[in-house]
Amino acid sequence: MAQPWMLAELPQRPPQRRARAAPPPGTSSQQPRPSSVRSARPVGVRARSAEDWWWDRLAPSGSGYHLLQSDSMLLVLPGPGPARTRVQRRAARRTQRPVPPASRAAAVKARPRPAPVSEPQQGPDPGWGDRIPLEILLQIFGLLVASDGPMPFLGRAARVCRRWHEAASQPALWHTVTLSPPLAGRLAKSGAKAEKKLLASLEWLMPNRFSQLQRLTLIHWKSQVHPVLKLVSESCPRLTFLKLSDCHGVTPDTLVMLAKACPQLHSLDIQHSMVESTAVVSFLEEAGPRMCKLWLTYSSQTTAILGALLGGCCPQLRVLEVLRLLNLTWLPKPSGRVVTPGPGFPSLEELCLAGSSCNFVSNEALGRLLHDSPNLRLLDLRGCARITPGGLHDLPCQDLEQLHLGLYGTSDRLTLAKEGSHLLTRKWCHALRELDLSGQGFSEKDLEQALAAFSVTPGASHPALCSLNLRGTRVTPSTVSSVISSCPGLLYLNLESCRCLPRGLKRAYRGQEEVQWCLEQLLTSPPSSS
């Protein structure tokens, strides 16, 4: 089946003739040639150009295609070619008409005629964009939207021509949109005016462009969140992901209305937004059975949300991230009665309870969250100083790939565990790809036993470890040399502030070459007393 259209590069010059061989010595180069050779080209027939050659190859007569020249390219387009002007048709017939030899001689003797007015050269067709099929334009626009987003490309492409406007107006291209008022961060009156102006435009855009919207992000909306989400619930039934960043005024009725109108909504990100806990709980009660991903910011009201989650309202949850701010700590009040564990999260794959300061999440709270999560792949507990290796060893997940236990800015009053790190590596050494133990207080011997587990992985296969952070630990040179030799795929190694290592090697190594250089230096450097 013929392609709908194609592009061919126009050669710079037509193919040249092959050079004629030199005459043998002793002969004259002015020998008369046979008449058949001298008159190989008929009189009056012009030489074929490169354009003629491409025409015969790509768009022969009767094929249903025509050529269109544009700069240094030739476009092969379906349908008849553009109509030529009367002057162009006369010029074509004049060049094709054979000229007899007698007329040529008479023309030479005749007095010179005045130079004819030069005809303007035919340049590229300004309407070539209208000739590209709509299906091809949609595929090209789809690739650009997938890499750079729909805006501002689609808005600019719609102004090129009618065909591009038709392609850019297809709702299938507007599947991911980020909306932010242009005057965000200025005076309150100016911000409210900008939100109302954008809301007036959305009243037309929602039904005409965003009918197939799937991912929506709202940033810096202070007063018009409810009207915007109401428009979304009325015009975007295919919405699957909603992110509210620095938004205010989200009410329970708004989220419940959205959950009922968008049956495919399964991901909600409300980090850095002021959303009441009652609104989130009401939303989870309505859309909980289909929720897969949830991002929260920890506050004094997060306890009610976590209680609803532990109650089993989101059995299909795969990603749960609770972002903790600098001035807040999670210190749950002990209960005097025995708490029955909920159904848990059997589909949970990622859990993040990290923070940049000390966190008071305990083994008991972590066990309540993960007691029924065998498919966990990522566990981020940075800043959770109360979590012990024994509590992590009791988790039901067997194939953990990323474990982050780094401590940053810990207080001197905290007593860190000095033993038990080998319980973590022996359980997950076959699957761990990233391990972060920075700031932990494990002893030299305990770290040696823990990292030695990567040299005896089951099945005699190389460990999957590719990132290891030992910043601020008491790891020794022999232990580091052993783990580098046992893990050929190690691409990141952080040895900053390791007091037991020689000077000059306490830094971060990125890439396999730098890691191997560190190994060579450790094997050749003398033992350090510091």
Side-chain angles (χ1 to χ4, degrees), residues 412-430:
D412 297 336
R413 294 175 297 177
L414 295 176
T415 303
L416 303 178
K418 296 184 178 181
E419 298 179 354
S421 59
H422 62 279
L423 298 177
L424 308 177
T425 55
R426 290 179 182 177
K427 181 177 182 179
W428 294 311
C429 62
H430 65 284

Side-chain angles (χ1 to χ4, degrees), residues 425-426 429-430 449-461 463 482 486:
T425 55
R426 290 179 182 177
C429 62
H430 65 284
Q449 296 178 358
L451 298 180
F454 292 103
S455 60
V456 289
T457 53
S461 59
S482 176
S486 304

Side-chain angles (χ1 to χ4, degrees), residues 7-218:
L7 297 176
E9 185 176 358
L10 184 64
Q12 298 299 330
R13 60 174 64 91
Q16 300 180 356
R17 290 186 176 182
R18 183 179 301 175
R20 189 170 55 197
T27 61
S28 174
S29 61
Q30 301 296 333
Q31 295 181 358
R33 293 181 296 177
S35 59
S36 59
V37 176
R38 185 170 54 252
S39 59
R41 185 192 305 168
V43 178
V45 179
R46 61 185 179 91
R48 291 175 54 81
S49 63
E51 289 81 359
D52 297 332
W53 185 84
W54 280 105
W55 183 281
D56 295 338
R57 289 292 302 271
L58 300 178
S61 178
S63 62
Y65 293 86
H66 70 279
L67 287 180
L68 187 64
Q69 182 177 354
S70 173
D71 297 336
S72 62
M73 305 295 291
L74 288 178
L75 283 78
V76 182
L77 302 177
R84 295 182 296 180
T85 62
R86 185 176 182 180
V87 177
Q88 294 173 350
R89 292 196 301 268
R90 286 184 178 181
R93 288 195 300 266
R94 189 180 301 111
T95 55
Q96 296 176 1
R97 186 181 304 168
V99 181
S103 301
R104 188 184 308 125
V108 171
K109 296 180 180 180
R111 61 181 182 180
R113 298 179 181 179
V117 180
S118 59
E119 299 177 0
Q121 297 182 357
Q122 183 180 5
D125 188 357
W128 66 270
D130 291 335
R131 304 181 187 278
I132 301 179
L134 182 62
E135 296 79 6
I136 303 299
L137 276 180
L138 288 177
Q139 294 182 12
I140 297 174
F141 288 2
L143 295 176
L144 294 173
V145 169
S147 60
D148 301 330
M151 293 299 292
F153 167 71
L154 291 180
R156 296 172 179 174
R159 302 179 181 180
V160 174
C161 59
R162 294 182 179 179
R163 178 62 59 86
W164 285 39
H165 182 275
E166 182 182 1
S169 302
Q170 299 296 322
L173 297 176
W174 299 85
H175 53 75
T176 302
V177 174
T178 299
L179 300 176
S180 176
L183 299 179
R186 298 188 180 181
L187 297 178
K189 294 183 179 180
S190 301
K193 185 177 181 180
E195 292 184 18
K196 292 181 180 180
K197 184 177 180 180
L198 183 55
L199 180 62
S201 301
L202 292 177
E203 293 178 355
W204 183 88
L205 288 173
M206 285 292 179
N208 293 278
R209 294 290 185 272
F210 301 163
S211 60
Q212 298 186 22
L213 186 64
Q214 298 178 9
R215 299 177 63 88
L216 175 63
T217 301
L218 300 180

Side-chain angles (χ1 to χ4, degrees), residues 326-337:
L326 295 177
N327 58 344
L328 292 173
T329 57
W330 186 8
L331 186 59
K333 297 180 180 180
S335 58
R337 56 186 180 85

Side-chain angles (χ1 to χ4, degrees), residues 255-385:
L255 290 181
V256 171
M257 172 186 60
L258 194 65
K260 293 181 178 179
C262 302
Q264 301 181 17
L265 182 60
H266 58 69
S267 301
L268 178 64
D269 186 351
I270 55 175
Q271 289 183 349
H272 308 290
S273 292
M274 297 183 62
V275 183
E276 299 179 1
S277 60
T278 54
V280 180
V281 172
S282 302
F283 174 82
L284 294 179
E285 292 176 354
E286 179 67 30
R290 62 174 184 266
M291 290 300 295
C292 297
K293 300 179 180 180
L294 182 61
W295 292 267
L296 305 172
T297 299
Y298 181 76
S299 64
S300 58
Q301 301 179 356
T302 311
T303 305
I305 302 175
L306 295 178
L309 292 175
L310 293 175
C313 63
C314 300
Q316 302 297 328
L317 196 65
R318 297 199 305 265
V319 176
L320 175 60
E321 179 176 334
V322 182
L323 179 65
R324 186 172 49 82
L325 302 179
L326 295 177
N327 58 344
L328 292 173
T329 57
W330 186 8
L331 186 59
K333 297 180 180 180
S335 58
R337 56 186 180 85
V338 179
V339 180
T340 304
F345 310 99
S347 301
L348 190 66
E349 298 179 359
E350 299 181 11
L351 176 63
C352 177
L353 300 176
S356 57
S357 60
C358 182
N359 197 325
F360 292 90
V361 180
S362 61
N363 292 333
E364 179 184 1
L366 186 65
R368 292 181 58 191
L369 287 172
L370 300 177
H371 72 91
D372 191 19
S373 302
N375 300 321
L376 193 68
R377 296 290 184 270
L378 184 149
L379 182 58
D380 192 347
L381 300 175
R382 285 174 291 185
C384 301

